[in-house]
Amino acid sequence: MRLPAFLGLLGSLVLPELDAVSDWLVTLEFYEGGDMGWFEASLTVLLVSGGLATLLLALVFSGDAGAECCRSLDRRGTCGSKLLLVLLAAPFGLSGLAPVVVAALTLCAGERASAEFKDGSLMKGFKALELVFEALPQSILQAYVAIAYGRLNPSDPEHFSRLLCFSICVSLLGAGATCFGFEGAFRNAGGKQVVGGAGSRYGIATIL
């Protein structure tokens, strides 16, 4: 696999999950540090974005591709229960793994996958939801805390937070990669080729 393609795959699959994990860890760090106001704000963002992802993923499970995979787990048809679908989707939605599940369902359905799966519309929906309700709000919140409370100064070990710095960088890179993906999709929609992949000079400059 060429380096640009590998970097594009890395940005699409690894960054979102790494972003979700780092955001939860920062939220726990706020709690352990006694910053209850920031803990509640960060937790609210995670729960709202995770709740929306859970509901959207439950709708995906109720579709043909989801039913096809659910059938092997429950042959009596109770997989169609709305409450069960929400409970099934909750761990993935709240943990930020919803896009991975959508990709797995697409592979599971194969040729039987609907047009929304094949053309990536569902994946784009999850990416847009993640960008608007999780990545950008968390980036703004964490950046404000980091700057206002001196968490970015390595010379002040008492307040410096490596985890917070790492989380901000991952969130911004993830948001940049998502925006680049949408930009490339719009270019290709009109029959225009994207200037370069995520690993190209154009892609790196656009993401950053």
Side-chain angles (χ1 to χ4, degrees):
M1 181 181 293
R2 294 181 178 181
L3 180 60
F6 174 76
L7 291 177
L9 182 64
L10 186 69
S12 299
L13 297 180
V14 178
L15 278 178
E17 281 64 56
L18 197 59
D19 182 28
V21 171
S22 63
D23 285 341
W24 278 105
L25 290 177
V26 167
T27 302
L28 292 176
E29 184 179 78
F30 287 154
Y31 178 79
E32 293 176 352
D35 300 321
M36 300 307 297
W38 301 121
F39 164 74
E40 293 172 359
S42 182
L43 183 62
T44 299
V45 172
L46 291 173
L47 291 179
V48 169
S49 61
L52 292 174
T54 295
L55 294 177
L56 184 57
L57 188 58
L59 290 176
V60 172
F61 284 157
S62 67
D64 294 337
E68 182 71 23
C69 293
C70 282
R71 199 169 293 126
S72 61
L73 299 177
D74 188 350
R75 297 184 181 277
R76 296 185 180 180
T78 55
C79 196
S81 168
K82 293 181 180 180
L83 178 59
L84 181 59
L85 290 176
V86 171
L87 293 177
L88 183 63
F92 304 106
L94 293 173
S95 63
L97 293 175
V100 176
V101 175
V102 173
L105 287 175
T106 304
L107 294 175
C108 178
E111 293 299 325
R112 299 185 302 276
S114 63
E116 290 78 9
F117 280 90
K118 290 182 178 180
D119 64 11
S121 298
L122 282 173
M123 185 66 74
K124 293 173 185 176
F126 278 102
K127 289 290 187 181
L129 186 150
E130 176 192 2
L131 177 67
V132 174
F133 292 97
E134 193 270 331
L136 292 180
Q138 281 288 0
S139 298
I140 295 171
L141 173 65
Q142 293 176 10
Y144 176 80
V145 173
I147 296 172
Y149 294 89
R151 301 287 184 89
L152 299 178
N153 186 5
S155 62
D156 185 7
E158 182 179 354
H159 298 97
F160 177 64
S161 174
R162 290 183 176 86
L163 176 60
L164 190 56
C165 293
F166 175 78
S167 181
I168 293 172
C169 291
V170 171
S171 293
L172 293 177
L173 284 174
T178 299
C179 290
F180 175 75
F182 281 118
E183 190 263 355
F186 284 126
R187 281 177 176 268
N188 288 332
K192 301 175 182 178
Q193 290 297 320
V194 180
V195 177
S200 66
R201 294 180 181 178
Y202 172 78
I204 294 174
T206 303
I207 292 173
L208 295 179

